[in-house]
Every structure is written in structure tokens, then in C-alpha cells.
Amino acid sequence: MKQAKVLTEKEFKRTLAICETMQNGKRNRLMLLLSHYAGLRVGEIASLKWKDVLDRDLKPKPMFYLKAENTKAKEARQVHLNARMQRELTTYWAQLHKWKEPELPVIESQKGGAFTGNSLVQAFSRIFHAAGIEDASSHSGRRWFITKLAHSGISPKVIMELAGHKQLTTTQRYIDVTDEQKRNAVEVL
């Protein structure tokens, strides 16, 4: 089975730029960033409510828990948000309509409710199609997240836990390797 494409930096920037031109572009940008910078699966993104990610002062939490019923493994797990992701959530929350409700989904559909996992998969597909990126899917961001961490020298055990995997072999399957990395590797000999 072919894996979802891991976007290059150029493709990722192009996709973010395309989001700005789309209807619901700010929402699309946020869902793309939750996939790439938090490593969330589409079902996890679809299940997020503002009360999950905001503290009592309505500021993004640096760490929150996904409920067991919202994860693939059916076990609660931690999600850590870097400074960029926290800024993005702050910006998006601030631009929402005046009737902000912590009970609402972070990523709302055009009809005002939560996305299903399948409808979010389709939304990701439309974004990547608009950006002209083939073989990318809703799982591309998660693979990008894991690959970037692995190539930055982060401990495999830490990556495994951030991804919510039970087995290191599962995490290893997500890591993308380019021809340039292989060429560079043999040059160290």
C-alpha cells in the first residue's frame, strides 16, 4: 500500500498559501497545521473542541489530552503544542464570530457543526488538489510531523509517544527518507 506523500517545505508553504485563497481558508490553514505541527489524525482533529485546547483564560494550552474515544488506539494521550501552533490557535480563536463557545468544534464545517473524519479527509483532499500536490492525503501532515522529528534527532521513544503509537516499528514506517539524505549519509564514510 502506497503511503501518503510527505510534503517538501516548498509544497507545504504553497499549500498554506492556497488555503488563504479558499473559502474557509483560515479554518483550512488551522486544520493543516494541526496535522503537521501536532501530528494529529483526521479523526482527532475532527473531535477537538475549543475547551480541549484552551485554558480557563481562553489561551491555548501547551499540552492537552485527547480523550480515549477520540483516538485510534482508544487510549487517552497527550498532545503537545509548540509556540507556533499556540499562536495559530490564538489567532484563529480571536477572529471567530463574537459568540465564541468553548463547546464548539475547533474545526467547524460550513454548516456550523463538527466534521466527521471522512468529511475532513475529503476537505484535505480538496486542499491538496487545489495546491497541485499529487499523492498527498489527510495523513501527509502526520507523516511530515514524524519525519521532521526523526530527522531532527529526536529520540524515537519520544516520537512514538507524541504520535500515540504503541510500537516503535509503527513509528518507523512513517519516516520518509529522500535520495538526497541517502547520498549525504554515504558521504560521511
Side-chain angles (χ1 to χ4, degrees):
M1 186 169 99
K2 189 171 183 177
Q3 289 189 305
K5 175 184 179 58
V6 175
L7 275 60
T8 64
E9 288 298 320
K10 187 176 179 180
E11 290 169 328
F12 183 51
K13 287 178 182 175
R14 184 170 77 231
T15 304
L16 288 174
I18 287 294
C19 285
E20 298 298 323
T21 69
M22 302 176 87
Q23 182 179 3
N24 300 305
K26 289 179 176 32
R27 178 205 66 198
N28 294 349
R29 174 186 171 87
L30 185 62
M31 66 187 217
L32 193 70
L33 291 170
L34 284 166
S35 173
H36 282 75
Y37 282 98
L40 297 178
R41 297 174 178 96
V42 286
E44 295 166 346
I45 295 169
S47 74
L48 283 182
K49 295 190 182 330
W50 283 107
K51 68 180 184 175
D52 299 326
V53 300
L54 299 178
D55 64 20
R56 289 183 186 161
D57 297 323
L58 302 177
K59 303 285 184 222
K61 300 173 187 175
M63 187 278 295
F64 67 91
Y65 285 91
L66 287 172
K67 296 176 187 137
E69 65 263 22
N70 297 329
T71 67
K72 185 177 177 181
K74 300 298 180 206
E75 291 182 11
R77 72 176 175 94
Q78 292 180 345
V79 175
H80 292 264
L81 300 176
N82 68 14
R84 178 176 182 182
M85 195 68 246
Q86 291 175 55
R87 283 191 307 274
E88 293 285 344
L89 285 164
T90 299
T91 300
Y92 190 72
W93 173 254
Q95 64 87 41
L96 289 177
H97 52 79
K98 64 180 180 177
W99 307 110
K100 300 173 192 171
E101 286 292 328
E103 292 292 327
L104 291 175
V106 172
I107 304 297
E108 270 188 272
S109 72
Q110 273 185 240
K111 296 177 183 175
F115 274 87
T116 65
N118 286 338
S119 60
L120 205 53
V121 166
Q122 293 169 11
F124 271 100
S125 180
R126 285 190 296 274
I127 293 166
F128 291 128
H129 178 75
I133 300 171
E134 293 182 25
D135 299 325
S137 76
S138 59
H139 223 58
S140 292
R142 190 163 162 79
R143 289 199 64 223
W144 184 92
F145 173 80
I146 293 168
T147 296
K148 289 289 261 185
L149 291 173
H151 293 306
S152 297
I154 303 301
S155 161
K157 176 75 171 154
V158 171
I159 299 169
M160 183 182 90
E161 290 198 15
L162 287 171
H165 291 152
K166 291 183 182 228
Q167 302 293 323
L168 188 55
T169 54
T170 303
T171 305
Q172 289 171 321
R173 287 195 303 266
Y174 278 72
I175 300 169
D176 192 49
V177 178
T178 66
D179 288 341
E180 180 183 358
Q181 289 168 322
K182 290 184 260 185
R183 280 191 301 275
N184 291 341
V186 297
E187 288 302 322
V188 302
L189 300 175

